[in-house]
Each structure stands twice: as C-alpha cells, then as structure tokens.
Amino acid sequence: MLRCIIVDDESGAVEILTRYVRRTPELELVRSFRDSIEALTFLAGNEVDLVFLDIDMPNLDGMHLSELIRNKGIQVIFCTAYSEYAVESYEKEALDYLLKPIAYERFRRAVDKALDARSELSGPDQTEMRGKNGKIRKLFLKSGPLIYQVDTGELLYMEKKGHYVVFHTPAGELLSRMNMNDLLNALPSDEFIRVHRSYVIAIDKIDTIEKRMVIIKGKRIPIGDSYRDDFFERIRYSGN
C-alpha cells in the first residue's frame, strides 16, 4: 500500500485523480491540496510514499516542490497539461509524467511503476558476506541506481532520515532506502546498538559519552530515554 497525496490547483483535476486513487486498491489517499505551499508544510511532518503533482501552480510550482522534497525519498508523478516540461521532469528524477486529460489505464501504468520501484527498494537490498566467525562483514546496499559494498567494520553510525538511512563512514556518507528494523537485522547485534529512534551506532567507534550523548568523530548523538538503560547495560557502566 502506497500512501499518496494529490497536489493540483485545479479542482477538476483533483476530483479525477481522487477517483482514480480510490479505484486503485494499492493506494491510500492521505490528503489532497490545491496549494503547493500547504502541501510542502504537510510533507515536512508526515510520511508519504507518492505525490501526484501538477507543475503549473501559483506561489510554488511543481518542479520546485519536487526539488524540496527530493531528500525525503518521496516518489513523484507529474500530472500536467503541458508536454514541454517532460524532459525537465525526468531531470528531477520524476517516476512518471502524465499528460492531461489522463486516462485511468495510463494512470494505472504509472502506479505500477511506483509499486515496482517500492518493491525494489523495500528492505536493505543486500547480499551478506560472513567472516570465519559467522558474523556479517559485508553488505551490498542499493543507493540510487548503484549497489555499494560496505564493510560493517567501517561503519561509524547510521541515521534515519524519512524513508532512508544514512550510513556514516570515515570515507563519507551512503544513503539507502530501508527502515530501522531492516537495518538492525542486517547488522551484527553484538557490535551495534540503537541509542535513539533515529540512530544506530557502532559500539567500538564511541569516543566519549556524556550523560545523554554519545560522541563519535565529533558527532554528538543523543541517547533517547527509552534506549538509555539498555545502552549503559551493554557497555557495562552503572553511572555511579
């Protein structure tokens, strides 16, 4: 099931797309917006998988809105009456480009693309390589169109951002779409620990610990209240 919103300043277009979404069992319509600024505000605080987005809108056009939400991992399907935007839409990494008036069959094909893309990205797209002790030492992670080999021993910490996890290493960052449960299942449990709803850290990469913070390579990572007891138990420190 893909959670989606519709952003279009034309009421007729919103009505048609709403009807199409409700006809499609794999979609859940969360909200529809006639104002792109309101949609942007909503997306800042809510998780959405897919946006059906008009391009020619006042205040903030669809191209600029798609740029602003790109790092949230939201798929975009442009819906417009203007064919001249097609090339630019694909430069913005849009999933598809629908010309109005939109037939349901064409809409359905675009949704199938979104479902296929989601299926490819669900979970940590990985192959595991284990060392002699049976521990996972290598992960193959999909990031954009490429698959990267990552040595778990090089990982400093992981940070959840929207639908993505950012893997921080001494060499840089790697962004991969997955949830926290998938991440934790992929890592050696004796070497990594979750310290916050948004952070998993490598225990042996800790430099110093404050009362509510872990510092790794200058990065101050919060220790959440619900993870605090487990963290200090794992590092065998009583706090006294």
Side-chain angles (χ1 to χ4, degrees):
M1 179 75 71
L2 298 177
R3 290 167 53 84
C4 66
I5 66 170
I6 297 166
V7 186
D8 198 311
D9 64 329
E10 298 177 3
S11 60
V14 172
E15 290 174 7
I16 291 170
L17 289 171
T18 297
R19 188 163 66 246
Y20 285 177
V21 169
R22 289 175 176 166
R23 182 177 167 183
T24 308
E26 295 92 344
L27 298 180
E28 176 189 353
L29 182 60
V30 180
R31 288 278 298 275
S32 61
F33 297 89
R34 300 275 302 279
D35 185 293
S36 53
I37 301 293
E38 291 180 6
L40 180 62
T41 301
F42 178 83
L43 290 170
N46 296 271
E47 286 201 4
V48 170
D49 301 305
L50 177 63
V51 178
F52 295 97
L53 180 58
D54 188 19
I55 292 176
D56 189 18
M57 291 184 293
N59 301 321
L60 178 68
D61 66 43
M63 291 294 182
H64 285 100
L65 177 56
S66 70
E67 279 286 332
L68 293 171
I69 65 174
R70 178 182 291 185
N71 67 350
K72 293 178 68 67
I74 301 171
Q75 298 182 85
V76 172
I77 295 176
F78 284 117
C79 305
T80 179
Y82 303 99
S83 60
E84 60 264 31
Y85 293 117
V87 173
E88 187 180 356
S89 75
Y90 289 111
E91 290 175 350
K92 303 295 185 185
E93 300 182 1
L95 186 70
D96 209 337
Y97 185 92
L98 305 182
L99 275 175
K100 300 174 182 177
I102 302 166
Y104 178 75
E105 290 74 16
R106 181 66 182 88
F107 174 89
R108 177 71 234 198
R109 290 202 302 273
V111 172
D112 287 341
K113 283 186 182 180
L115 292 168
D116 288 344
R118 180 64 179 271
S119 176
E120 290 175 3
L121 291 172
S122 61
D125 298 312
Q126 66 185 29
T127 301
E128 301 172 356
M129 296 177 64
R130 297 175 183 267
K132 294 180 179 179
N133 59 2
K135 292 181 181 179
I136 300 171
R137 303 310 311 169
K138 304 284 187 181
L139 299 177
F140 285 90
L141 298 170
K142 183 176 175 64
S143 181
L146 301 177
I147 297 175
Y148 294 84
Q149 181 176 237
V150 179
D151 186 336
T152 60
E154 294 296 314
L155 296 174
L156 301 174
Y157 62 94
M158 281 63 63
E159 179 181 5
K160 187 78 168 73
K161 286 190 175 181
H163 296 289
Y164 288 82
V165 169
V166 183
F167 290 76
H168 295 267
T169 75
E173 299 177 357
L174 176 66
L175 190 72
S176 187
R177 183 162 180 151
M178 66 176 69
N179 60 47
M180 291 297 271
N181 286 335
D182 289 330
L183 171 65
L184 290 167
N185 289 334
L187 296 171
S189 59
D190 60 335
E191 298 177 13
F192 294 85
I193 186 170
R194 190 172 186 177
V195 295
H196 186 273
R197 61 185 180 133
S198 300
Y199 288 95
V200 174
I201 66 170
I203 297 172
D204 68 345
K205 301 302 191 299
I206 296 172
D207 294 319
T208 55
I209 302 170
E210 298 179 4
K211 192 168 185 178
R212 296 185 177 275
M213 291 282 177
V214 173
I215 294 86
I216 297 178
K217 301 299 181 187
K219 170 68 175 180
R220 296 168 62 83
I221 299 169
I223 303 172
D225 290 341
S226 57
Y227 303 94
R228 178 178 170 78
D229 290 345
D230 182 53
F231 171 71
F232 283 106
E233 182 178 342
R234 284 282 301 276
I235 65 170
R236 291 182 171 84
Y237 176 69
S238 66
N240 296 323

